[in-house]
């Protein structure tokens, strides 16, 4: 595909998603506004008002309705995109499970924000973790460029015939959604061609082949239908790789389900999701210049969790600090729990750190501390929490 | 019952197409009473057809011809709404 990227523009992550949505030009966009998702939808609504997109925005009365309308539209045969954050995702959650079970390939941009309470508008990943087991793909962006690129890739992954699952493109609220940085956009026609036509196996509006969708399933079939989602999730790993290959041809930018950084000879590594990876890279560079063998592994695809890839990327690393931007009171933080199981049987020593809840900043000094702290710390350590004794 | 299908044999999302579903014989858990009709009294008003919650009234065109006991659950509504006393409940198995 002959393509030429246009020059970089200065955009927030939210604006970048709005641009991606304009270029994808979905048929239906059912949305309800919530901070920090608002700039995505506000931006797209401006494009719609200016007649630059053909799709229909449905101003629904809640996020529960937004996801319900999205399921109907996506299964009717319309490419459908929505977006939300925090309480919006919580209100949607019941229907998110149904979207996955009905195999509706909806794309949803998420501006990650702490769940209430106390009520808060800033970033953590508790909203994503709430739908962790719902059967939706969750991709995490490190910055606005990645949010844009993953958004362009998302319909292809969602609509892949072996996948047919909702895909959530997650970006950290405010840190990415509202922070302006250079973003290279693809050409409008290139994106349109890349995403192609929308196809699903049983469009409800195909009156020549009527179907019942979302039927009741008793104990003799529930388990089987749910297991189809497990297989679809496995297929999503391969679909990501295929789509990423085509996207590289188009853009020159290569994505993978994991992103190792200075990991090959690392003795100590951090594993994290989202924008924090950018800060960790700076600290890794500093420590490397001081002769420390440290590295980073950013997880791009949190669901499906790339177990085999993570195991082979991390098993040679002696000490691994897992940074969770969500807590599980009374339990283990979600990323730490997943990684501990993933690396079971290897010699890797894992430590758990919770950080950044409700938008609490994570400073480079704290990341240095994580790299330099002795292994075997309490599980978990609460970074940035006042009175936590072992911090800088 | 037909053979239960594995997850690889089911259509995506458990989608059901016409002809896929087995006709359930819900009449197998009837109350113990079933309706019978005296067709010589029936005036073909079709009130029983209108009221039956289980579509258990069989018609030939627009003419009442009897009951589908495979789906009748024995609720007795047809007996109650019949204006001429043509329908009566009898003990099942008689």
């Amino acid at each position: 595909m002959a393509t030429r990227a246009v020059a970089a523009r200065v955009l927030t992550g939210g604006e970048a998603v709005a641009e991606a949505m304009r270029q994808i030009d979905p048929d239906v966009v059912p949305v309800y506004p919530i901070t920090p998702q608002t700039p995505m939808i506000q931006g797209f609504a401006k494009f719609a008002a200016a007649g630059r997109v053909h799709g229909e925005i449905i101003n629904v009365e809640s996020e529960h309705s937004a996801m319900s309308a999205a399921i109907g539209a996506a299964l009717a045969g319309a490419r459908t995109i929505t977006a939300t954050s925090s309480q919006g995702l919580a209100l949607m959650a019941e229907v998110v499970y149904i979207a996955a079970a009905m195999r509706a390939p909806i794309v949803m941009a998420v501006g990650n924000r702490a769940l209430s309470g106390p009520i808060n508008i800033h970033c953590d990943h508790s909203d994503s973790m709430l739908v962790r087991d719902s059967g939706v793909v969750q991709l995490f962006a490190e910055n606005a460029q990645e949010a844009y690129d993953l958004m362009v890739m998302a319909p292809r992954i969602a609509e892949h015939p072996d996948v047919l699952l909702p895909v959530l493109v997650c970006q950290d609220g405010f840190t990415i959604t509202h922070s302006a940085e250079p973003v290279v956009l693809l050409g409008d026609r290139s994106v349109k061609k890349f995403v192609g036509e929308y196809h699903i196996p049983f469009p409800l509006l195909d009156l020549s082949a009527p179907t019942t969708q979302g039927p009741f399933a008793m104990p003799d079939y529930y388990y089987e239908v749910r297991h189809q989602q497990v297989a679809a999730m496995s297929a999503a790993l391969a679909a990501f790789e295929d789509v990423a290959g085509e996207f590289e041809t188009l853009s020159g930018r290569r994505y993978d389900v994991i992103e190792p950084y200075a990991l090959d000879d690392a003795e100590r590594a951090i594993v994290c999701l989202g924008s924090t990876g950018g800060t960790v890279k700076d600290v890794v560079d500093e420590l490397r210049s001081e002769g420390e063998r440290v590295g980073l592994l950013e997880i791009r695809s949190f669901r499906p969790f790339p177990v085999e890839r993570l195991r082979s990327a991390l098993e040679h690393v002696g000490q691994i600090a897992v940074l969770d931007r969500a807590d599980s009171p009374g339990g283990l933080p979600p990323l730490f729990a997943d990684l501990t199981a993933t690396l079971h049987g290897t010699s890797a020593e894992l430590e758990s750190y919770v950080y950044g809840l409700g938008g609490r900043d994570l400073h480079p000094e704290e990341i240095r501390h994580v790299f330099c702290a002795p292994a075997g710390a309490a599980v978990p350590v609460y970074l940035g929490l006042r009175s936590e004794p072992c911090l800088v | 019952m037909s053979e239960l299908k594995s997850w690889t044999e089911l259509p995506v999302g458990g989608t059901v197409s016409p002809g896929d579903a087995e006709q359930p014989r819900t009449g197998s858990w009837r109350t113990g009473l079933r309706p019978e009709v005296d067709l010589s009294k029936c005036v073909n008003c079709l009130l029983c057809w209108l009221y039956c919650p289980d579509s258990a009234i069989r018609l030939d065109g627009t003419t009442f011809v009897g009951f589908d006991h495979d789906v009748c659950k024995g609720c007795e509504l047809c007996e109650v709404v019949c204006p001429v006393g043509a329908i009566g409940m009898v003990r099942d198995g008689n």
Side-chain angles (χ1 to χ4, degrees), chain A residues 206-270:
Chain A
D206 178 3
L207 300 183
S208 66
T211 52
T212 295
Q213 301 200 12
F216 187 72
M218 289 289 275
D220 58 355
Y221 273 114
Y222 177 94
Y223 203 170
E224 272 67 27
V225 175
R226 176 75 173 167
H227 193 74
Q228 289 185 333
Q229 297 167 54
V230 176
M233 271 287 186
S234 300
L237 284 175
F240 186 103
E241 195 176 335
D242 289 350
V243 174
E246 284 186 49
F247 187 81
E248 184 183 17
T249 308
L250 180 70
S251 67
R253 294 185 291 277
R254 177 76 194 192
Y255 286 90
D256 198 355
V257 290
I258 58 171
E259 187 193 336
Y261 184 83
L263 200 62
D264 282 347
D265 64 340
E267 294 167 345
R268 194 165 164 77
I270 281 178

Side-chain angles (χ1 to χ4, degrees), chain A residues 148-236:
Chain A
Y148 169 80
D149 290 343
L150 292 172
M151 201 65 191
V152 172
M153 290 167 61
R156 292 285 308 278
I157 300 167
E159 297 160 21
H160 189 287
D162 297 334
V163 180
L164 295 169
L165 289 173
V167 172
L168 276 52
V169 176
C170 304
Q171 55 173 303
D172 286 352
F174 290 99
T175 311
I176 304 178
T177 57
H178 287 64
S179 302
E181 55 185 321
V183 178
V184 177
L185 300 183
L186 299 163
D188 291 358
R189 260 183 274 175
S190 299
V191 173
K192 194 71 188 156
K193 196 171 173 189
F194 180 77
V195 297
E197 287 292 315
Y198 181 80
H199 290 294
I200 53 169
F202 300 110
L204 281 167
L205 289 179
D206 178 3
L207 300 183
S208 66
T211 52
T212 295
Q213 301 200 12
F216 187 72
M218 289 289 275
D220 58 355
Y221 273 114
Y222 177 94
Y223 203 170
E224 272 67 27
V225 175
R226 176 75 173 167
H227 193 74
Q228 289 185 333
Q229 297 167 54
V230 176
M233 271 287 186
S234 300

